[in-house]
């Protein structure tokens, strides 16, 4: 999962980044609204953490930009402003959740997971799909009851494809999701194919089936019927 942290308190931002990276997310930071705005136009994020009180920008305006950009990145507002007005305004404008400061990192993570799950239509942290039982919290995948031994990248790619089940995800989307900042011309899509090949093999070894479909010239799709 690729997360953008928009927060001008560097110490807090760095703390969130360090924590989320330990939990398997990849993070980018924007300490100002202008940096955030630039990043929003050039990158895609699975989630945006947005501080409303920025030195150079009104967080509410940034939220409007995010919604307008139609990239469908969910937003969690982090705010020291605890007025009901701000909260209602933020949620009305399309934010997915609102977390007043101070908050615990554990709570932040559980809100993040809830928002991402909801966005993809899953209600729980345990996903059962085809032969797979996925524990999003523990980052463990069982296939027919046996644990799949996945590398971090394989896990991240699998989850991204599963969350978008029955839709085609492109190599570029996978790449952005896993590695974040990428320059289109330089990214090597073979790299992704290698991970997919390994994933397929590991799943097929335990399940005997292959539900990671390759859509020629486009990308991949998790076939939840398969
Ligand atoms: Ca602030």
């Amino acid at each position: 999962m690729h997360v953008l942290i928009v927060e001008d308190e560097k110490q807090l931002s760095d703390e969130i980044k360090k924590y989320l990276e330990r939990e398997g997310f990849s993070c980018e930071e924007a300490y100002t609204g202008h940096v955030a705005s630039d990043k929003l136009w050039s990158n895609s994020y699975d989630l945006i953490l947005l501080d409303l009180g920025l030195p150079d920008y009104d967080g509410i305006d940034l939220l409007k930009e995010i919604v307008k950009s139609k990239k469908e990145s969910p937003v969690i507002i982090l705010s020291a402003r605890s007025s009901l007005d701000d909260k209602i305004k933020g949620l009305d404008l399309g934010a997915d959740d609102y977390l007043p400061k101070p908050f615990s990192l554990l709570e932040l993570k559980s809100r993040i997971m809830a928002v991402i799950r909801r966005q993809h239509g899953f209600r729980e942290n345990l996903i059962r799909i085809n032969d797979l039982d996925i524990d999003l919290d523990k980052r463990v995948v069982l296939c027919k009851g046996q644990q799949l031994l996945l590398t971090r990248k394989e896990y991240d790619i699998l989850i991204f494809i599963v969350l978008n089940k029955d839709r085609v995800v492109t190599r570029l989307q996978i790449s952005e999701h896993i590695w974040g900042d990428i320059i289109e011309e330089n990214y090597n899509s073979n790299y992704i194919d290698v991970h997919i090949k390994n994933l397929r093999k590991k799943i097929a070894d335990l399940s005997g089936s292959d539900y990671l479909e390759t859509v020629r010239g486009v990308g991949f799709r998790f076939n939840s019927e398969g």
Side-chain angles (χ1 to χ4, degrees):
M1 311 274 169
H2 194 50
V3 175
L4 176 64
I5 307 165
V6 186
E7 169 62 73
D8 63 307
E9 288 168 58
K10 288 189 182 156
Q11 202 186 338
L12 175 61
S13 177
D14 294 350
E15 211 177 292
I16 294 173
K17 179 173 193 270
K18 210 164 124 195
Y19 173 77
L20 290 180
E21 287 186 341
R22 227 175 29 228
E23 297 293 319
F25 295 83
S26 67
C27 299
E28 277 177 55
E29 293 172 288
Y31 299 139
T32 68
H34 283 104
V35 170
S37 176
D38 284 349
K39 282 180 178 289
L40 287 168
W41 288 106
S42 46
N43 303 323
S44 300
Y45 299 95
D46 297 300
L47 185 105
I48 297 163
L49 299 176
L50 177 63
D51 173 26
L52 288 186
L54 297 166
D56 61 331
Y57 228 88
D58 184 340
I60 290 287
D61 288 339
L62 202 54
L63 176 62
K64 287 181 189 159
E65 275 185 38
I66 296 168
V67 172
K68 222 166 58 191
S69 77
K70 295 209 165 60
K71 288 195 178 172
E72 294 175 13
S73 309
V75 177
I76 297 179
I77 292 176
L78 310 176
S79 186
R81 304 185 196 170
S82 56
S83 82
L84 195 58
D85 259 9
D86 274 331
K87 181 172 177 179
I88 291 171
K89 199 165 166 193
L91 295 174
D92 274 354
L93 283 170
D96 298 85
D97 204 351
Y98 189 101
L99 196 53
K101 291 179 186 173
F103 49 80
S104 81
L105 292 172
L106 202 62
E107 178 168 19
L108 175 65
K109 186 197 158 193
S110 92
R111 300 277 193 111
I112 291 174
M113 295 310 291
V115 165
I116 290 175
R117 279 191 333 255
R118 269 206 310 271
Q119 199 203 12
H120 295 280
F122 292 100
R123 290 173 56 201
E124 293 174 56
N125 260 332
L126 295 169
I127 295 177
R128 167 162 284 185
I129 190 162
N130 299 15
D131 297 328
L132 304 180
D133 287 293
I134 302 172
D135 185 329
L136 291 175
D137 213 33
K138 300 198 176 103
R139 296 173 61 86
V140 169
V141 184
L142 301 181
C143 181
K144 289 191 170 168
Q146 275 185 283
Q147 189 173 347
L148 276 180
L149 299 173
L150 305 177
T151 64
R152 181 174 164 162
K153 294 260 184 294
E154 286 163 6
Y155 175 87
D156 289 338
I157 292 172
L158 177 65
I159 298 308
F160 184 60
I161 297 177
V162 164
L163 287 176
N164 291 291
K165 69 184 163 70
D166 303 320
R167 279 198 298 201
V168 180
V169 294
T170 66
R171 289 178 175 79
L172 188 61
Q173 284 169 334
I174 294 175
S175 189
E176 277 188 322
H177 167 83
I178 307 293
W179 289 278
D181 267 331
I182 51 149
I183 298 159
E184 220 164 306
E185 313 87 71
N186 289 348
Y187 95 101
N188 180 355
S189 67
N190 282 338
Y191 200 50
I192 292 166
D193 288 74
V194 170
H195 285 305
I196 296 275
K197 196 176 137 208
N198 292 339
L199 254 177
R200 274 212 175 101
K201 183 173 180 326
K202 288 180 181 181
I203 295 173
D205 281 352
L206 294 183
S207 90
S209 17
D210 180 11
Y211 19 76
L212 291 181
E213 296 175 351
T214 302
V215 181
R216 197 176 288 273
V218 189
F220 306 94
R221 174 172 52 209
F222 189 97
N223 179 356
S224 67
E225 324 262 282

